[in-house]
């Protein structure tokens, strides 16, 4: 909203003459703070910065050295441009020395062919400056009200990031001190591409030799062909919590945009002061996103797009779904899974969904779904891992992870199960969702289960061991620590209850499957988890 040199040259007072820009075209965007008519050679010592200088050229100097020194001094003092009348009072053409010096400095040097009333220039510029300042004050007041409203509504860092992007019209990224994305709003194709390798921009793209600017950039910086970026530090309890980045293109931020950036940084710091509350909000945002996926409210592609807004970049990479089975009264399961996945340094969206903790994990060329399962297998937890999938296949991957987790829940020891290695157990999981699996167990093992319920010497352990030993009676007797005569007696009892010969291979295969189904049902694997 500031008044630039370029805008001032469009004022009516300059329309009555011809205006020539001899140098510094690239800096005509500079903001004018004041207009100052000058005719003395040492005017530079009276300047404070931001002045548009108007002169007939009487104080510029007559020699080449005087003219060069004059221009160097006013440029160093912070003047934004020099307008010289070329009407003959001092010059009829712009001195070559001034042009050369201005071009070396990138300083806007402007000539006008005719005399113009400098008081009229001052009046028009100052009137416009007053209008601009009034508009800025109104904008400041509105920004204050907007951010205060968000604070009172317990706005999150993500909501402040989105509001800042909306206010300034540029992409905004919020990162923590580890350069991990927290929020991203207002993205463009250029910044979307940059986000894929955010660590490089965050660490390299803001290097400067000025130690006072390394942590709180106020001038645009960039690396190679990256979009130009300005950032502000988020200070929490006297330390750097992270940074806000604005990809504003070339040039510095306007006063209003800079004010909006400062207010957003302050507001985010305030919301982060309550660490527990902040963590709960972050968890809630992930939970809401996961639940919408489970309910079918959003597609897998939409899930990935919304994940980017909360700093989880799952785009253009294979994904896997992880489901950790919670033990009864286990309140730390979500934290344990989060810690396990954090060491992999890959994007993750995680949520507690009742009996399970679910995570959608972004894979890499160095981390496949099987390698992810290997990493989780050391966690001493019962976990199911889906196959690798695309974003569009996420709903199928959720079902796969559920199936693998159901089998893991039925295992004797904590283990990580891969869906791709379940084999026939996939059928058990599917059948367990209805009554058919229980019916099969009852048909195959019902009489044995009734016997064991009524007697102190159960027969089911003998059947389980006999089948595990592949019908080898000697090995089965050893495993049960009984004499072979005792084993023969038990096997006869079992055959009587089952009504089948245990010597038949197909009978043993059917009974082994029934035992697996029985264990699966007993573990709770047949209970279909609600979609939440």
């Amino acid at each position: 909203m500031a008044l630039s040199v370029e805008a001032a040259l469009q004022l009516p007072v300059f329309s009555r003459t011809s205006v020539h820009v001899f140098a510094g075209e690239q800096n005509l965007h500079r903001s004018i703070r004041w207009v100052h008519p000058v005719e003395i050679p040492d005017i530079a010592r009276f300047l404070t910065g931001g002045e548009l200088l108007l002169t007939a050229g009487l104080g510029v100097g007559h020699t080449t050295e005087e003219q060069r020194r004059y221009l160097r001094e006013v440029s160093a003092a912070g003047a934004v441009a020099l307008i010289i009348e070329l009407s003959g009072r001092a010059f009829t053409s712009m001195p070559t020395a001034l042009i050369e010096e201005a071009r070396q400095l990138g300083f806007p040097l402007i000539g006008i062919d005719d005399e113009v009333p400098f008081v009229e220039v001052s009046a028009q510029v100052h009137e416009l400056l007053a209008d601009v300042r009034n508009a800025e004050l109104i904008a400041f007041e509105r920004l204050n009200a907007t951010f205060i409203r968000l604070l009172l509504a317990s706005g999150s860092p993500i909501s402040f990031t989105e509001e800042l992007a909306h206010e300034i019209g540029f992409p905004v990224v919020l990162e923590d001190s580890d350069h991990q994305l927290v929020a991203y709003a207002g993205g463009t194709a250029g910044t979307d591409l940059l986000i894929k390798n955010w660590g490089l921009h965050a660490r390299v793209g803001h290097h400067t030799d000025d130690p006072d600017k390394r942590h709180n950039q106020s001038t645009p910086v960039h690396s190679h062909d990256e979009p130009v970026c300005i950032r502000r530090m988020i200070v929490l309890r006297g330390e750097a919590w992270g940074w806000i980045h604005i990809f504003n293109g070339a040039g510095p931020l306007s006063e209003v945009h800079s004010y909006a950036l400062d207010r957003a940084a302050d507001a985010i710091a305030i919301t982060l002061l309550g660490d527990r509350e902040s963590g709960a909000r972050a968890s809630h945002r992930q939970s809401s996103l996961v639940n919408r996926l489970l309910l079918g409210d959003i597609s897998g592609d939409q899930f990935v797009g919304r994940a980017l807004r909360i700093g989880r970049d799952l785009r253009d990479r294979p994904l896997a779904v992880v489901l950790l089975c919670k033990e009864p009264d286990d309140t730390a399961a979500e934290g344990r899974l989060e810690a396990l996945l954090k060491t992999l340094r890959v994007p993750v969206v995680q949520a507690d969904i009742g009996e399970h903790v679910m995570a959608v994990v972004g894979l890499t060329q160095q981390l496949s779904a099987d390698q992810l399962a290997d990493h989780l297998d050391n966690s001493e937890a019962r976990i199911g891992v889906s196959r690798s999938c695309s974003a569009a296949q996420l709903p199928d991957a959720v079902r796969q992870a559920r199936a693998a987790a159901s089998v893991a829940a039925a295992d004797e020891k904590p283990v990580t199960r891969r869906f791709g290695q379940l084999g026939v157990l996939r059928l058990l999981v599917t059948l367990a969702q209805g009554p058919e699996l229980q019916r099969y167990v009852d048909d195959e093992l019902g009489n044995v289960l009734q016997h064991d319920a009524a007697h102190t010497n159960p027969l089911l352990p003998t059947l389980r061991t006999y089948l595990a030993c592949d019908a080898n009676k000697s090995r089965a007797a050893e495993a049960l620590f009984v004499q072979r005569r005792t084993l023969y007696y038990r096997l006869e009892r079992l055959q009587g209850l089952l009504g089948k010969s245990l010597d038949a291979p197909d009978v043993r295969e059917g009974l082994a499957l029934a035992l697996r189904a029985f264990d699966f049902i007993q573990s709770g694997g047949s209970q279909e988890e609600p979609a939440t």
Side-chain angles (χ1 to χ4, degrees):
M1 295 178 66
L3 177 63
S4 68
V5 175
E6 187 174 23
L9 294 177
Q10 306 305 314
L11 290 171
V13 67
F14 290 116
S15 66
R16 302 197 298 266
T17 184
S18 296
V19 178
H20 310 280
V21 178
F22 291 93
E25 295 89 344
Q26 71 274 26
N27 287 318
L28 291 178
H29 66 273
R30 288 177 175 174
S31 299
I32 299 172
R33 188 180 59 83
W34 198 252
V35 177
H36 203 3
V38 297
E39 300 299 345
I40 60 175
D42 60 342
I43 186 60
R45 66 193 184 94
F46 299 106
L47 303 181
T48 57
E51 293 90 354
L52 173 63
L53 303 180
L54 307 173
T55 181
L58 301 178
V60 172
H62 301 288
T63 69
T64 297
E65 181 53 38
E66 287 174 343
Q67 293 168 1
R68 288 182 179 274
R69 183 173 63 250
Y70 179 90
L71 201 62
R72 286 196 299 270
E73 289 176 350
V74 296
S75 176
V80 295
L82 176 65
I83 298 179
I84 301 178
E85 284 184 351
L86 303 176
S87 59
R89 189 178 295 271
F91 306 110
T92 57
S93 62
M94 188 65 71
T96 302
L98 287 176
I99 296 174
E100 291 176 351
E101 192 67 29
R103 286 176 177 172
Q104 288 183 10
L105 297 171
F107 183 78
L109 177 64
I110 301 157
I112 53 177
D113 289 347
D114 307 294
E115 290 184 343
V116 298
F118 285 172
V119 65
E120 190 175 348
V121 175
S122 297
Q124 290 186 16
V125 171
H126 292 155
E127 182 179 354
L128 199 52
L129 283 173
D131 291 342
V132 168
R133 186 57 180 168
N134 185 54
E136 286 179 344
L137 291 174
I138 293 173
F140 292 162
E141 190 66 28
R142 182 180 55 77
L143 285 169
N144 266 332
T146 297
F147 286 116
I148 288 174
R149 173 179 54 79
L150 281 175
L151 278 172
L152 293 176
S154 299
S156 68
I158 292 175
S159 63
F160 285 110
T161 302
E162 293 175 342
E163 186 63 36
L164 178 61
H166 172 73
E167 289 288 346
I168 66 177
F170 294 120
V172 178
V173 169
L174 177 64
E175 65 165 351
D176 62 20
S177 58
D178 293 327
H179 302 299
Q180 299 299 306
L181 256 65
V182 177
Y184 172 49
T188 64
T191 52
D192 283 353
L193 185 62
L194 180 65
I195 294 299
K196 293 179 182 297
N197 195 12
W198 177 252
L200 178 62
H201 173 84
R203 292 176 172 85
V204 178
H206 294 87
H207 175 74
T208 172
D209 292 330
D210 184 352
D212 294 330
K213 293 182 178 179
R214 286 183 182 168
H215 298 299
N216 200 1
Q217 289 289 351
S218 58
T219 55
V221 292
H222 63 93
S223 177
H224 305 295
D225 295 326
E226 292 179 359
V228 178
C229 171
I230 284 177
R231 72 176 181 178
R232 288 285 193 280
M233 181 186 291
I234 307 293
V235 179
L236 197 63
R237 298 185 180 92
E239 297 182 355
W241 176 89
W243 291 267
I244 307 179
H245 300 248
I246 293 180
F247 295 90
N248 63 305
L253 290 177
S254 68
E255 285 195 43
V256 172
H257 289 171
S258 183
Y259 183 82
L261 176 56
D262 289 338
R263 296 289 73 74
D266 292 342
I268 290 172
I270 291 172
T271 62
L272 291 170
L273 283 174
D275 288 336
R276 290 184 181 179
E277 184 178 351
S278 174
R281 280 199 298 265
S283 177
H284 175 71
R285 287 190 295 272
Q286 294 185 63
S287 295
S288 297
L289 189 57
V290 168
N291 286 333
R292 292 188 68 183
L293 176 68
L294 296 177
L295 290 168
D297 187 34
I298 57 176
S299 66
D301 289 320
Q302 291 172 323
F303 176 90
V304 169
R306 284 166 169 77
L308 182 60
R309 294 172 55 189
I310 59 173
R312 272 66 175 178
D313 189 4
L314 300 172
R315 299 170 300 160
D316 302 328
R317 62 169 74 219
L319 307 174
V321 177
V322 172
L323 227 62
L324 181 146
C325 304
K326 292 168 59 179
E327 301 296 333
D329 301 321
D330 185 1
T331 59
E334 186 173 6
R336 288 201 308 276
L337 182 58
E338 181 180 8
L340 279 168
L341 295 175
K342 188 174 183 179
T343 61
L344 297 172
R345 301 188 70 82
V346 292
V348 175
V349 176
Q350 178 179 308
D352 187 326
I353 58 172
E355 294 184 3
H356 297 99
V357 179
M358 174 177 154
V360 178
V361 181
L363 304 175
T364 66
Q365 291 183 345
Q366 294 75 35
L367 181 70
S368 66
D370 284 340
Q371 289 169 321
L372 171 63
D374 289 341
H375 175 76
L376 295 173
D377 207 16
N378 300 319
S379 64
E380 295 297 317
R382 303 177 191 276
I383 298 174
V385 180
S386 74
R387 286 176 173 151
S388 173
C389 70
S390 65
Q393 296 168 327
L394 263 179
D396 290 333
V398 172
R399 288 190 286 272
Q400 293 173 7
R402 284 192 188 282
S406 296
V407 174
D411 284 312
E412 293 183 12
K413 297 180 180 180
V415 66
T416 296
R417 285 282 190 171
R418 302 160 174 79
F419 176 79
Q421 297 178 2
L422 292 183
V424 71
L425 296 177
R426 289 173 55 185
L427 298 177
L428 295 184
V429 175
T430 302
L431 292 172
Q433 308 309 317
E436 192 57 38
L437 191 65
Q438 183 64 59
R439 289 173 184 164
Y440 178 73
V441 171
D442 290 343
D443 289 343
E444 294 293 316
L445 300 175
N447 290 337
V448 177
L449 295 174
Q450 289 179 13
H451 169 274
D452 287 0
H455 296 79
T456 56
N457 296 316
L459 293 174
L460 196 64
T462 297
L463 177 61
R464 191 187 299 276
T465 303
Y466 180 68
L467 296 176
C469 292
D470 197 22
N472 186 307
K473 295 184 175 69
S474 297
R475 286 170 49 203
E478 275 184 40
L480 290 167
F481 301 103
V482 297
Q483 295 180 356
R484 293 185 63 173
R485 191 182 337 171
T486 303
L487 176 63
Y488 294 156
Y489 171 75
R490 292 181 183 178
L491 293 177
E492 288 178 5
R493 293 287 309 276
L494 281 168
Q495 289 182 135
L497 291 169
L498 294 170
K500 302 174 183 178
S501 171
L502 292 176
D503 293 331
D506 59 333
V507 170
R508 294 199 301 273
E509 288 177 4
L511 291 173
L513 183 60
L515 281 172
R516 293 297 299 269
F518 173 72
D519 292 339
F520 186 70
I521 293 172
Q522 290 297 106
S523 71
S526 64
Q527 298 176 4
E528 183 175 10
E529 184 165 337
T532 61

